[in-house]
């Protein structure tokens, strides 16, 4: 996957293999354009996308009239339908914004009105008794709430992989471990200088996430500055899941959306995120202060949750900017398209951003006519790693046909050897342990690899030969 393409000129190069970049490449992969993804890391979705809070947003709380508002609402429909088509795990849990103070209670009508301005008319204001009926384990002192029935949880890892996989299946070239360090324009082309050598393109699309402002500066623009905003989260054990049947959101304040409690698609419960603006774009470590903050918030939101075991903690970085909206702009002269300032809502909006951006390219004269559907490969069928449906180890018919699906490798998450084998035989195989985790959930359980780590590492080390053997059977 990391073959360099010296001497070749792509029609379009997309910088960034996260949700937005993968969605963009998939969209253009359906045309006759010769497209490549340049990803700085060794795998797609290994930057901001992998640590998303994994909520499929209705867009009810976006600022009305913004590009973000429109694209999140459109993306909600697009991604929902795509998830059903390719097998991305989704649970339609719904959400409640909970008011704990009189000020928050007074804000609920305006939030309902904002939702309606955004085209979402299913929100209802409910009293405290109704809130506790929905989520009995909430802490004392609830005054009321606002329901958002359409909010859902989704697998961000599978979303990214599905979009990138379909892009590759459609002929897009994926160049991982290609970090863009500079560029030069000559004629109507751009030579991108990467740490693996130059890559040349007629059009460049900047979907670089945390590095989008740096790429933008290379083109001579100074439109925004990315401020990495760290969000730390706790993941509680699966036994806590009955306490959180739906997403519990705080009433947003001037400081942001605040800390939420949410079920995860993998059967756990998530508490977080924090919101800490940093300068270091690599600071994905957790902190003592972050833990203390989450414990204080969690103690009020749901005190009994803190009695449950924490399976893991992690932190991710959001690409915050000084703007209150996405920064999507096309420069026809430079043949350059910026997809910047895409915050955590980019998970939901990614496919709509790609649709919108493709329209901008068409307006600039790029031929984005889709190829005949008959010439396109079937959409991928992604491995099911959610808890809402049957997993391979639960499928007797599948195991009878292929015993590898009955051989469990990771007992906490019930991951089978067949699923590991399939990951290595996929269009975008994992290159390291974290990549294998994102494709199978392996070692993500309560033992965190204590019992299965050595066996998993052996599978990873032998992947080059073992997958060839399996594939030949």
């Amino acid at each position: 996957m990391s073959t360099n393409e010296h001497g070749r000129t792509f029609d379009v190069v997309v910088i960034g293999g996260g949700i937005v970049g993968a969605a963009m490449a998939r969209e253009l992969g359906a045309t006759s354009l010769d497209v490549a993804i340049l990803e700085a890391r060794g795998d797609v979705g290994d930057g901001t996308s992998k640590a998303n809070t994994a909520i499929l947003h209705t867009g009810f709380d976006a600022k009305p009239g913004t590009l973000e508002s429109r694209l999140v609402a459109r993306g909600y429909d697009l991604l929902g339908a795509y998830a059903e088509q390719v097998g991305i795990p989704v649970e339609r849990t719904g959400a409640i914004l909970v008011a704990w103070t009189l000020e928050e209670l007074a804000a609920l009508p305006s939030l309902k009105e904002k939702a309606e301005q955004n085209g979402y008319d299913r929100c209802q204001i409910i009293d405290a008794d109704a809130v506790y009926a929905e989520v009995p384990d909430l802490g004392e002192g609830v005054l009321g709430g606002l329901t958002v029935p359409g909010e859902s949880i989704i697998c961000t890892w599978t979303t990214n992989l599905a979009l990138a996989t379909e892009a590759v299946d459609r002929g897009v070239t994926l160049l991982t471990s290609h970090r863009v360090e500079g560029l030069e324009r000559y004629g109507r082309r751009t030579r991108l200088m990467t740490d693996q050598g130059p890559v040349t393109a007629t059009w460049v699309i900047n979907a670089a996430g945390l590095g989008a402002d740096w790429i933008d500066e290379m083109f001579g623009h100074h439109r925004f500055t990315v401020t990495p905003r760290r969000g730390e989260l706790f993941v509680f054990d699966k036994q806590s899941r009955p306490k959180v049947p739906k997403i519990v959101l705080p009433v947003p304040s001037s400081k942001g959306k605040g800390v939420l409690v949410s079920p995860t698609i993998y059967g756990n419960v998530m508490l977080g995120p924090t919101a800490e603006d940093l300068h270091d774009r690599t600071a994905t470590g957790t902190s003592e202060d972050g833990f203390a903050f989450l414990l204080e918030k969690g103690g009020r939101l749901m005190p009994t949750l803190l009695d449950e075991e924490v399976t893991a903690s992690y932190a991710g970085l959001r690409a915050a900017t000084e703007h209150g909206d996405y920064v999507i702009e096309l420069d026809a002269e430079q043949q350059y398209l910026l997809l910047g300032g895409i915050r955590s809502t980019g998970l939901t909006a990614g496919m709509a951003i790609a649709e919108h951006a493709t329209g901008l390219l068409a307006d600039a004269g790029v031929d984005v006519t889709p190829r005949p559907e008959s010439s396109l490969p079937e959409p991928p069928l992604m491995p099911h790693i959610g808890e809402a449906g049957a997993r391979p180890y639960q499928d007797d018919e599948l195991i009878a046909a292929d015993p590898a699906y009955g051989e469990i490798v990771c007992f906490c998450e019930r991951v089978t050897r067949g699923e590991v084998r399939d990951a290595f035989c996929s269009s975008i195989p994992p290159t390291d342990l974290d990549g294998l985790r994102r494709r199978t959930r392996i070692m993500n359980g309560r033992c965190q690899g204590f019992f299965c780590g050595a066996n998993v590492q052996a599978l990873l080390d032998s992947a080059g030969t073992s997958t060839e053997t399996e594939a030949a059977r």
Side-chain angles (χ1 to χ4, degrees), residues 216 221-225 322-323 327 329-331 336 338:
D216 203 43
H221 301 285
H222 302 280
R223 289 180 274 204
F224 65 108
T225 301
E322 64 272 44
H323 299 290
V327 185
E329 296 180 16
L330 181 143
D331 187 321
Y336 166 61
L338 167 65

Side-chain angles (χ1 to χ4, degrees), residues 99-350:
W100 299 88
T101 68
L102 291 174
E103 182 181 2
E104 291 173 351
L105 187 66
L108 296 183
S110 63
L111 288 169
K112 182 173 183 290
E113 182 179 343
K114 177 191 276 188
E116 291 166 353
Q117 290 174 351
N118 284 320
Y120 189 77
D121 61 1
R122 297 178 61 198
C123 291
Q124 296 293 327
I125 295 173
I126 58 176
D127 62 21
D129 289 343
V131 173
Y132 283 117
E134 296 276 1
V135 189
D137 284 282
L138 283 173
E140 296 180 357
V142 171
L143 299 179
L146 179 74
T147 63
V148 193
E151 294 283 282
S152 308
I153 56 176
I154 189 170
C155 180
T156 185
W157 298 336
T158 308
T159 300
N160 207 143
L161 281 166
L163 294 167
T165 296
E166 187 161 22
V168 169
D169 290 349
R170 288 176 169 182
V172 171
T173 300
L174 173 60
L175 300 174
T176 55
S177 301
H178 279 62
R179 181 176 299 279
V180 176
E181 298 177 331
L183 62 84
E184 58 184 33
R185 291 276 300 158
Y186 66 102
R188 299 288 287 171
R189 294 178 178 176
T190 298
R191 181 180 290 118
L192 296 162
M193 313 306 293
T194 82
D195 55 359
Q196 300 294 318
V199 176
T200 305
T202 303
W203 276 85
V204 174
I205 298 177
N206 175 3
L210 286 170
D213 56 339
W214 291 344
I215 301 295
D216 203 43
E217 287 181 12
M218 293 178 191
F219 277 92
H221 301 285
H222 302 280
R223 289 180 274 204
F224 65 108
T225 301
V226 170
T227 300
R229 182 167 295 164
R230 181 165 61 182
E232 299 182 49
L233 302 102
F234 283 143
V235 178
F236 289 86
D237 192 72
K238 299 177 194 303
Q239 292 179 353
S240 62
R241 175 65 186 269
K243 294 178 179 291
V244 188
K246 56 183 55 193
I247 305 161
V248 178
L249 302 167
V251 175
S253 69
S254 58
K255 296 180 181 178
K257 295 183 177 180
V259 172
L260 60 88
V261 181
S262 173
T264 77
I265 205 75
Y266 318 117
N268 302 93
V269 169
M270 182 179 65
L271 171 68
T274 59
E276 180 185 8
D277 288 344
L278 304 172
H279 297 290
D280 184 354
R281 305 188 188 207
T282 65
T284 55
T286 54
S287 69
E288 187 174 337
D289 288 346
F291 285 179
F293 179 81
L294 290 177
L295 290 173
E296 187 271 328
K297 290 290 184 182
R300 177 168 189 189
L301 284 168
M302 190 173 288
T304 59
L305 181 62
L306 301 190
D307 296 332
E308 302 291 337
E309 293 187 28
V310 173
T311 299
S313 60
Y314 68 95
L317 298 174
R318 290 104 85 183
T321 75
E322 64 272 44
H323 299 290
D325 200 358
Y326 297 163
V327 185
I328 298 179
E329 296 180 16
L330 181 143
D331 187 321
E333 181 63 28
Q334 292 184 309
Q335 293 173 294
Y336 166 61
L337 173 58
L338 167 65
L339 308 178
I342 313 297
R343 295 169 290 191
S344 61
T345 54
L347 165 61
T348 301

